[in-house]
Amino acid sequence: MFHFEKARRALLPSLGLLLASPVGALATEGAAQVAGGGKPWWFWPVVLFFFCFVLGIIAVLAGVGGGVLYVPLVSGFFPFHIDFVRGAGLMVALAGALAAGPGLLRRNLASLRLALPVALVASACSIAGAILGLYLSSLDPAIVQVCLGATIVGIAALLLFSKNSAQPVVTKQDAVGLALGMSGTYFDPSLGKEVEWKTHRTLLGIILFIFIGLLAGMFGLGAGWANVPVFNLLMGAPLKVSVATSKFLLSITDTSAAWIYLNRGCVIPLMAVPSIVGLMLGSFVGVRLLSKAKPKLIRYMVICVLFFAGLKALDKGLNIGLLG
Amino acid sequence: MSDHKASRPMPEQITYANILFLGAWTGIALLVVTYFIYLTGILEPHSTIRAVIDSWTHGVHHYQQATDAPSGWGWAALLNTGDYLNFIGLALMALLTIVCYLVLLPGFIRQRDWTYTIICVLEVLVLCLAASGLLGSGGH
């Protein structure tokens, strides 16, 4: 049996050190001495790596996806055009979802029966969202900035006010849920027993994934912030199944949108690679800190940061200049 | 309809998880190795780092013109350059889900679960369409 976890633990730290090291960067110093506001060319990739490392820690502690923090913050505080931030944001969210997926599938927490039908809708719509987002950006990037700002403020409000339900009561499964077999059983170690679940309001849930897919593709956001409430509060899936299925679902939804951005040339390796690896390393550190930190306080801090990032994107898009 | 209430996942789900695990971590490892090759200049990049940095503040259309960047699968022809070598890892990660869905298909067919078989086939088609470069890849 191949020891996946051991291999992962051995691999990650060494990869991070390699990426963060300016030694490699110095080798091509002659190619580009100074760029981007008088800073050496390796400045932004190195800063981005450490920024994403911290972002990865915070994202885990706050219980949000990395993509939803990455896009508004990097587009607000780094010099990159929104096209490339969205492309990198999708790759960041995709890498995180791909890495988390295996464990969730093996433990049967991520439900294929719940994920597959909505994934088809969300991934098709995320393609449309990506094409629409790139079209709007080509017309005027300010349109995307304003829409992104409004979405981020909405996400912050959703995170602030939505209440999850560990075991929603579903008295009767609806016809669509029944036809799709959207039900299952998982073992909950905290309860020490197997928990059965089924969905209701399935059609409405599937319809909402049209909008979730569109937003994910348009802004390059991972859509866990929307997936979980729809699965849990609307369709009645248990919270653990909702969170796990949402993470797995991102690996499918983001794949389709990521290809649109990749094919369009919106993924620049110089900035995308340190973002992906920095955020992944940070999320592993975050998992280790989870038992010592105060996630509730950090969650409120992240909500404040999201409000600020959303307002900053609105400010930038509307060219008001209040927030710098 | 199959017995979907069984708490144990079907074997194909475990295979899906294993492929995802190996593929994702291979992709990330490839990203790091190829990025190192790119930064150290072991392979000459297609576009200079200065050109990339000067253009990443502008939109993608400007970037493509300034760096002579390809659209669609044009990057595949530039894998001998330091910058586009990084696309091996990126593309591997973006192709994984398609492979994993193909792995699921026999399980659903064996269970005679035609609804999920059709959903799987449609998803593969959607992902292949996205990956094909036929949609929104534009040109320059």
Side-chain angles (χ1 to χ4, degrees), chain A residues 102-129:
Chain A
L104 301 171
L105 285 170
R106 285 190 196 117
R107 280 181 283 161
N108 213 20
L109 275 174
S111 165
L112 288 180
R113 304 203 74 83
L114 186 58
L116 265 49
V118 299
L120 181 57
V121 173
S123 59
C125 292
S126 74
I127 295 173

Side-chain angles (χ1 to χ4, degrees), chain A residues 81-105:
Chain A
H81 191 274
I82 188 81
D83 287 348
F84 308 119
V85 177
R86 287 179 295 168
L90 274 170
M91 291 310 300
V92 162
L94 175 62
L98 289 173
L104 301 171
L105 285 170

Side-chain angles (χ1 to χ4, degrees), chain A residues 118-301:
Chain A
V118 299
L120 181 57
V121 173
S123 59
C125 292
S126 74
I127 295 173
I131 294 170
L132 179 64
L134 287 168
Y135 172 70
L136 290 175
S137 180
S138 70
L139 290 179
D140 185 357
I143 300 171
V144 179
Q145 283 284 359
V146 171
C147 295
L148 174 68
T151 305
I152 296 298
V153 170
I155 293 169
L158 185 71
L159 291 173
L160 187 62
F161 295 117
S162 73
K163 299 278 182 282
N164 296 319
S165 171
Q167 301 289 341
V169 179
V170 179
T171 49
K172 191 183 175 196
Q173 190 167 31
D174 65 316
V176 178
L178 200 63
L180 289 169
M182 278 192 179
S183 56
T185 309
Y186 73 98
F187 181 75
D188 191 331
S190 61
L191 299 174
K193 64 174 185 178
E194 292 208 327
V195 178
E196 284 194 25
W197 60 271
K198 55 183 180 281
T199 60
H200 58 181
R201 299 190 285 256
T202 310
L203 185 61
L204 183 58
I206 291 173
I207 289 169
L208 283 179
F209 275 98
I210 293 173
F211 299 103
I212 294 172
L214 275 171
L215 289 178
M218 196 165 170
F219 301 124
L221 302 168
W225 51 272
N227 296 342
V228 176
V230 172
F231 280 145
N232 181 238
L233 298 176
L234 183 77
M235 295 169 71
L239 185 58
K240 284 185 180 177
V241 173
S242 300
V243 172
T245 306
S246 163
K247 193 74 179 170
F248 170 66
L249 179 63
L250 291 184
S251 71
I252 307 162
T253 314
D254 291 347
T255 290
S256 53
W259 271 115
I260 302 298
Y261 282 87
L262 265 172
N263 284 328
R264 186 65 200 271
C266 295
V267 180
I268 301 178
L270 191 61
M271 60 167 286
V273 177
S275 304
I276 294 167
V277 181
L279 217 129
M280 294 204 70
L281 284 173
S283 62
F284 283 110
V285 174
V287 169
R288 287 173 187 272
L289 292 177
L290 206 52
S291 59
K292 296 168 193 166
K294 291 180 179 171
K296 208 162 189 175
L297 177 70
I298 292 163
R299 189 175 170 83
Y300 283 122
M301 282 168 56

Side-chain angles (χ1 to χ4, degrees), chain A residues 28 81 108 113 123 180 263, chain B residues 7 21 35 39 56 72 116 123:
Chain A
T28 43
H81 191 274
N108 213 20
R113 304 203 74 83
S123 59
L180 289 169
N263 284 328
Chain B
S7 58
F21 182 90
Y35 196 69
L39 292 188
W56 67 18
Y116 277 75
E123 184 67 63

